[in-house]
Each structure stands twice: as C-alpha cells, then as structure tokens.
Amino acid sequence: MRSRNDRIIAGIMLLPSVILILVFVYGFIFQTIRTSMTDWGENLDNPAMALQVEKNFVGLENYRELMTDPMQFEFRTSMVNTFFFTILFVVGCVFVGFMLALLLDMNVKFEGVFRTIFLFPMALSLVVTGTIWRWLLQPEGLNALPNRLFGLEPYTFNWLSSRKRVLEFDWNDVPMYLTYIGLFILAILAFNYFAKRRWRSMGIVAGLGGILVFLYAVGFWENNIWPQLGITNREGTFIPTPEPKGYQVALSGIVIAAIWQMAGYTMAMFLAGIRGISEELREAARVDGCSEFGVYWRIVLPQLTPVAISAVIVLGHISLKIFDLVFAMTGRQNFQTIVPGIMVYGAFDTNRYATASAIAVIMLVLVSLVIVPYLWTQLRSRES
Amino acid sequence: MTAKKLINRTIIYALLILMAAIFLIPVYMTTVTALKTRDETTLATAWNPPDLPLNFSKFQEAFEYFGPSLGNSFALVGTATILSALLGSINGYVLAKWRIPGERFLFPLMLFGMFLPYQAILIPLFEFMSDLGLYGGIPGLVLIHVVYGIPITTLIFRNFYVEIPDEMLEAAAIDGAGFWQIYTDIVFPLSLPGFVVVIIWQFTQIWNDFLFAIFMTTEGNQPITVPLAELSGGEAVDYNLTMAGAILAALPPLLVYIVMGRYFIRGLLAGSIKG
C-alpha cells in the first residue's frame, strides 16, 4: 500500500502551489480591498509615489464617490456599457454558436474544415482581433463592401466614434430598475416552484417579493437607508443633476468583433454537448415517429440546458472582464466605449491607486456573483 | 435522395458556406492590406487584391518595428509554458492520486483563480514584484504567468490523471515504488497527451496575454501584444503596418491551432466543462 511517508511527500509537493495561490490570489485580493478603503493617490497633499506614503482609512468613501460623485460619471458609463455589452455579446454568441453547432451536426462533409474556420478566431489574441476589426470598421472597410460587391451606396455609420446613445435613462433611477429586475427574478423563481409544486419554497420566494414591494412602496430605501449611508443628497437623489445614460451605439462594433472571436468557442461547447447525447436515444425517437425537427426540439434541446448555462456563465464573466479588445479598438481614452477594465488602467496609470482598487473590487464582486455559484454546482454535481 | 431532402442539404451547405465566408472576411482584408501600401488602400481600392508581384515591404517594416517584442514573446512563452506544465503535472498527480487533507476545500479555492478578474490583484502584484526587483522584465512576467496558470494546468492534468486506473499505481506501490517512482515510471510516461493539451493551451494564453504584459513590463521588455495594441489604439494609424504586425502576432498561435486543433479544443473545453 502507499505509505504514510509518501502521502506526506505528496502533500509537500502540493504545498508551494497552495501557498502561491493563497498569496497571489487571496492575499492580494485582501490587499486590494484594503487599498480601496484608503485615500492612496486621491489626496493631493500626499503624493502616491512618495517615499513615505501616507494612506488614511476612508471606509467606503471611494465607492460612494464612484456611484454618486458627478466627477466620476465615466465610471457609471462604464458600468452601463458593461451591462449592454454583456447582454448583446452573450446573446449573440449563444445564438450564432448554437446555429453553427446545429448546422455542423447535420452530417455535413468537410465538417473538420468548417469547424476549423469557425473556431480559429479563438486562437488569436484579443489585441489582434481588436486591431483587425478596428480597420474593418473604418470607412474603407465593411462600410464600403456593399458598394464594392453590388454597387450600392456605401454605408456611412461611424462605428467606433459615434456619439449616439439610445435607450436612455437617468442614473438616479438605477436602484428603481434594479428593484424591478429583482422582483422579476423572484417572480420567475416563484413560478418555477409553483410549476414543480414545491409550495414551501414558493411561499418563501413570494414572501420575499412581497416584503420588497412593501418596503419599496412605503419609501423605506429613500427615507431610511440611502440618507443614513450618505448616498443621497438633500433632494433625495443620488446625483444633483439628472445623468443620462444609455446604450452607446459605438459599442456595437466591439460587440461584433467579440462575437466573431467567441462564437466558435460557443459552437464547440454546444457541439460537444450534442455529441454527448446518445445516438440511440435520438434513433429511438425517430422510430417512434418523431420528425428530425422534433428530435432536436424534444430530445436534444432539453439535454443541452447545462451546456447553455456553462456557455452563458463563461461568456458573461469574459465580458465583465473585457479590456484588451476595447483597448485595441478604441484606445484608452474613448469615453463612449469605456469599460471598467479600462477605467482601472487609467486610474493605475495616473497613480490613483485607491480608485483603481475600488473599481477592481466592484469587477471582482460582479464576476464572483456569476462564477462562485457556478463553481459550487459544478463541483457538487461531480461528487454526487 | 428525394427532392425535399436535396433542398434541405442545399440550404445547409449554403448557410455553412455563407457563415464560413463571413468568418473569413477579416482574414482576407488583413492579408490584402498588409500586402499593400497606403496609396493602394483608399476608399475605392481597399478591397482589391494586391498587385503582383506581392509587395512585402510592410512585413519588412513590421519585422523591424516588432522584432524586439517578438523576441520577448518567444522568450516569455518558451520558459513560462514549460515551467507551468511541469508544475501543473505534479499538482494534478497529487490531487488525482493522493488523498490530501482539505482537498475538497483547496481545489475549488484554486479553481476560482482561473476566473479571477486580474485587475483585482494588479496593484499588490505590482508592489510585490517591485519589492522583489522583478517588476518590468520578462523573468517577472514568467513568474506571473506560471503562478496564475496553476489553476488551469492543475485542472487539466488532474482530470487527465483521474483516468489512469488506481490498480496500476497500487501494483507499483506493492512492488515498493514510492511517490516519485510511481510518477516517473507510470504517470509521466502516460502523460504525453496531457502535456500536449496544457502546453498548447498555455502557449496560446501567454502569447495572447495583454493585461499582465501592459501592467507589468517596461519599454523594451514588452511582448508583442503591447506595441501592437498601442500602435492600433493610437492616433493616425498606418493600417498597412498594423495589419502586417497583427499577422506576425497571430501566426504562432494560429499555426499551433491549425496543426494541433484537436488538443487545442480539449484545453478550451476544460476551462468550461468540468467533471
């Protein structure tokens, strides 16, 4: 049998990696959180790179500024951009990727060639993708293609520098919208439990929703919570003047480039999922008189749900972190297409370490909200 | 074949060819632009194929401009890939074949590092590397990639080694083989496909990295992605030069992908589907 001695050696061999991860991941995260609660680099009397740096604890002040200080409007734009980017990118990739997987599953000749073509962008650096697409989105690029191919009028849209904004809303209304989204999610959950006849779970979720609606209706947040935290001003708004936000149309080109890069990856995930479904099952359904469409609708699609969830989560966390692509396509100072990753770079570059840390922590929280439950369920399902 | 089926097949192939063409448009445009000069890249002529004989002057220029950073990239990738594969192999072997106290807790903790937004560790990392005197150069970047590569390399090797039957290891143990002998005699010789997957994965990841490269290296020590992004994101861009540069930066991982596509996909899927 393997001896106790060898087990100790095994443990010792793993130890360096464990220590490296503890220090480089968790230790550094802790330090970033601590920095985000100081005034390092924010205080003009106290230069960030001085020999003796004085860092004062300021609590959540940096976060409050990011959310409500009129000067920090760029950060809020970056959050809104991330929101729209994530939705369009994930939906686009899943749609294109799923279509490609279905097409390749139809017993086509040269499947390997097609697969290689759809997946090759994944081997490129996002910087290369950004460089190439920046050129394609110039007036000489895709805009001129209808003219070159069919003699049509050239398209004149300013892909990367358009200042147009659609779906406008006021940043002051964001908590309200978040409440609606929360209620919507609770309603879906409640309905789900209702359909599965899990009455107790349904009751809890419905109760939570009821409390939320009640608190909202009596103005609990704006009277008791926001003023206490010092987030709202005397007028009861977050920012003194309305701050219009919305979908920056200039993001569209970056979304297209990102989908071009990642759709093949999504296809590979779906294809692996489809190939994992036993051919006998599909054959049995055909024998029972199911049409080819019916086989996909009733057998394949339901079994792909876990793959779809994986795809959405992996793509979603990539888009929350996006940095390289935006940097290469619109540079570091393009206000229309700013994202949190670029904000961190800008703050770091100008030695505003506390602000950079606070933005980074917000990114970490968003990514963790997506990834931690996913890791949890993935690892638990493997053990059982 | 019935008429209906024939129509179906035609539609499927038409869609596939259309999609393939759309995916390849950027490749065409990049290549022709890199083979032309500024005067041949106007509104009216940008989509035209280049004149023959082909003009490689932009590639020559790109080689001069990106030469040093290309060298940095190769030095970085060569060292970091090998080191991180070896480390991952040992970790995977321990986690797959030896019972370690706290393993159920350590493994997810490690895996989270794979999804971490690196912005959340950059400032402490910068301070730490400066204190060690490793900030700014390729050796420091090697260390960074080896450390943050631990989660994915460990995961791939662990899932690979789980497939090796325990009986083989037990038999060797009964014959008196210890931790290292089991590794060198049984596990390592079976590891070739695992090493190929991990080396390809790390090669492409590290080659393509931009975030660590731009935060952690100084002028002259940068891998190719940094000058390329800066040239592309700057004002008054020479698109012929950037396209030639993009091709230089794209070729190494692209060649690996085309030659070893199957292994590349395995690495790709390892990052999303576990178990």
Side-chain angles (χ1 to χ4, degrees):
Chain A
M1 291 323 295
R2 283 180 262 174
S3 73
R4 201 186 139 72
N5 213 357
D6 282 328
R7 283 177 54 185
I8 294 174
I9 299 179
I12 290 173
M13 290 320 295
L14 192 65
L15 205 58
S17 295
V18 172
I19 292 173
L20 284 174
I21 291 290
L22 285 180
V23 172
F24 277 73
V25 174
Y26 296 96
F28 286 179
I29 287 177
F30 176 75
Q31 238 177 306
T32 303
I33 295 174
R34 224 174 41 178
T35 304
S36 78
M37 296 187 182
T38 68
D39 61 354
W40 189 17
E42 311 302 322
N43 189 347
L44 289 180
D45 311 327
N46 191 359
M49 300 307 279
L51 223 49
Q52 280 288 299
V53 192
E54 201 181 308
K55 302 178 204 171
N56 301 306
F57 181 80
V58 296
L60 296 175
E61 180 61 18
N62 291 314
Y63 295 93
R64 195 190 64 76
E65 275 179 14
L66 286 174
M67 293 302 177
T68 63
D69 185 344
M71 300 288 285
Q72 295 282 9
F73 72 99
E74 264 200 324
F75 169 73
R76 296 186 287 274
T77 305
S78 78
M79 294 292 281
V80 174
N81 282 347
T82 302
F83 171 76
F84 284 111
F85 186 92
T86 303
I87 290 182
L88 292 173
F89 167 68
V90 171
V91 170
C93 279
V94 169
F95 179 75
V96 177
F98 185 62
M99 286 299 137
L100 293 177
L102 279 189
L103 284 172
L104 284 186
D105 190 47
M106 303 277 179
N107 268 323
V108 291
K109 280 193 184 119
F110 310 114
E111 189 200 314
V113 177
F114 283 117
R115 213 176 38 211
T116 308
I117 292 174
F118 297 141
L119 200 54
F120 89 88
M122 199 55 207
L124 303 180
S125 163
L126 279 163
V127 169
V128 170
T129 302
T131 306
I132 293 174
W133 276 87
R134 184 186 162 110
W135 168 228
L136 279 167
L137 297 175
Q138 299 303 312
E140 296 92 335
L142 289 179
N143 280 1
L145 198 57
N147 176 270
R148 304 288 298 137
L149 284 180
F150 312 112
L152 301 171
E153 274 298 291
Y155 196 52
T156 52
F157 181 57
N158 262 334
W159 284 97
L160 297 174
S161 54
S162 166
R163 291 180 171 273
K164 214 175 143 202
R165 186 166 52 204
V166 294
L167 298 173
E168 280 203 354
F169 60 89
D170 181 0
W171 178 263
N172 281 308
D173 293 335
V174 165
M176 183 178 79
Y177 293 127
L178 287 180
T179 313
Y180 291 156
I181 293 173
L183 283 176
F184 182 69
I185 292 171
L186 287 177
I188 290 179
L189 268 180
F191 182 78
N192 200 11
Y193 288 134
F194 175 76
K196 286 181 182 160
R197 294 171 196 286
R198 287 170 58 184
W199 306 118
R200 204 154 55 133
S201 307
M202 191 198 88
I204 293 170
V205 171
L208 270 177
I211 293 171
L212 205 59
V213 171
F214 176 75
L215 288 178
Y216 191 65
V218 299
F220 177 72
W221 304 106
E222 61 242 55
N223 297 331
N224 302 74
I225 299 294
W226 306 135
Q228 295 296 326
L229 293 174
I231 301 180
T232 48
N233 52 30
R234 221 175 293 129
E235 286 77 41
T237 56
F238 296 94
I239 302 163
T241 51
E243 191 173 285
K245 299 287 180 208
Y247 175 61
Q248 298 284 352
V249 175
L251 273 177
S252 311
I254 304 178
V255 171
I256 294 173
I259 294 175
W260 178 76
Q261 173 133 31
M262 300 282 181
Y265 171 52
T266 325
M267 173 203 75
M269 289 178 76
F270 277 120
L271 210 52
I274 293 177
R275 298 279 151 86
I277 299 169
S278 78
E279 190 50 40
E280 284 99 76
L281 200 65
R282 291 161 77 170
E283 199 49 51
R286 277 185 208 113
V287 170
D288 285 349
C290 217
S291 67
E292 200 54 35
F293 176 76
V295 169
Y296 277 101
W297 187 247
R298 288 172 197 284
I299 311 282
V300 175
L301 216 54
Q303 296 217 40
L304 285 182
T305 315
V307 180
I309 292 174
S310 295
V312 167
I313 285 172
V314 172
L315 294 169
H317 107 282
I318 289 173
S319 87
L320 291 175
K321 300 197 293 196
I322 197 96
F323 168 66
D324 332 19
L325 187 65
V326 182
F327 192 105
M329 285 184 81
T330 52
R332 58 184 83 176
Q333 268 154 349
N334 186 313
F335 161 66
Q336 280 85 30
T337 58
I338 193 126
V339 291
I342 300 267
M343 293 281 310
V344 173
Y345 179 81
F348 180 85
D349 218 28
T350 48
N351 300 335
R352 285 156 52 228
Y353 295 119
T355 302
S357 300
I359 300 170
V361 170
I362 292 173
M363 289 175 74
L364 176 70
V365 169
L366 290 177
V367 168
S368 303
L369 282 177
V370 177
I371 289 298
V372 171
Y374 176 67
L375 269 182
W376 176 270
T377 50
Q378 286 272 311
L379 291 172
R380 212 175 46 170
S381 72
R382 181 168 57 194
E383 267 159 35
S384 62
Chain B
M1 205 187 272
T2 61
K4 193 180 158 206
K5 211 171 169 192
L6 192 69
I7 295 172
N8 270 342
R9 300 308 286 176
T10 316
I11 294 176
I12 289 170
Y13 282 107
L15 281 175
L16 276 172
I17 290 169
L18 176 73
M19 288 308 287
I22 292 175
F23 269 76
L24 290 175
I25 284 178
V27 179
Y28 171 79
M29 192 56 161
T30 307
T31 318
V32 298
T33 308
L35 291 170
K36 293 198 280 194
T37 56
R38 188 86 194 99
D39 328 328
E40 302 167 85
T41 333
T42 62
L43 217 50
T45 59
W47 286 90
N48 292 354
D51 293 333
L52 293 172
L54 295 175
N55 170 8
F56 287 100
S57 66
K58 283 292 164 184
F59 278 99
Q60 217 168 356
E61 210 177 309
F63 255 117
E64 272 160 38
Y65 190 90
F66 294 108
S69 56
L70 213 51
N72 289 337
S73 274
F74 276 112
L76 165 70
V77 165
T79 339
T81 302
I82 301 297
L83 288 176
S84 99
L86 286 174
L87 195 59
S89 168
I90 302 285
N91 289 341
Y93 166 57
V94 172
L95 283 172
K97 294 299 173 197
W98 298 84
R99 293 266 146 265
I100 298 294
E103 181 186 359
R104 284 168 52 106
F105 172 71
L106 281 177
F107 190 50
L109 220 56
M110 233 184 213
L111 285 189
F112 180 72
M114 205 159 88
F115 299 102
L116 174 75
Y118 294 127
Q119 280 87 354
I121 47 90
L122 275 175
I123 293 168
L125 180 66
F126 165 73
E127 289 181 273
F128 184 80
M129 299 305 276
S130 306
D131 288 347
L132 283 185
L134 281 172
Y135 169 77
I138 294 296
L141 208 51
V142 169
L143 174 67
I144 291 170
H145 281 295
V146 170
V147 170
Y148 292 104
I150 289 175
I152 184 75
T153 55
T154 303
L155 173 71
I156 296 175
F157 273 115
R158 180 192 173 279
N159 287 353
F160 184 78
Y161 290 148
V162 163
E163 309 288 321
I164 299 177
D166 277 339
E167 291 76 27
M168 279 174 75
L169 274 62
E170 294 299 343
I174 289 167
D175 291 344
F179 177 86
W180 284 112
Q181 212 184 341
I182 295 178
Y183 181 73
T184 51
D185 289 2
I186 300 175
V187 175
F188 187 77
L190 291 171
S191 298
L192 187 65
F195 269 98
V196 175
V197 171
V198 165
I199 286 176
I200 289 179
W201 182 252
Q202 283 299 84
F203 178 92
T204 46
Q205 286 307 106
I206 298 171
W207 183 277
N208 290 339
D209 165 70
F210 174 66
L211 184 69
F212 284 133
I214 191 161
F215 275 95
M216 294 297 160
T217 53
T218 48
E219 194 85 44
N221 294 314
Q222 294 156 331
I224 188 161
T225 47
V226 177
L228 182 62
E230 281 181 343
L231 191 66
S232 163
E235 306 295 321
V237 188
D238 175 353
Y239 285 107
N240 307 97
L241 179 62
T242 50
M243 289 308 110
I247 291 176
L248 289 186
L251 270 184
L254 214 50
L255 283 178
V256 168
Y257 164 68
I258 288 169
V259 177
M260 309 258 219
R262 177 195 300 267
Y263 295 98
F264 177 76
I265 295 174
R266 273 171 60 181
L268 204 59
L269 295 179
S272 58
I273 306 166
K274 285 168 277 293

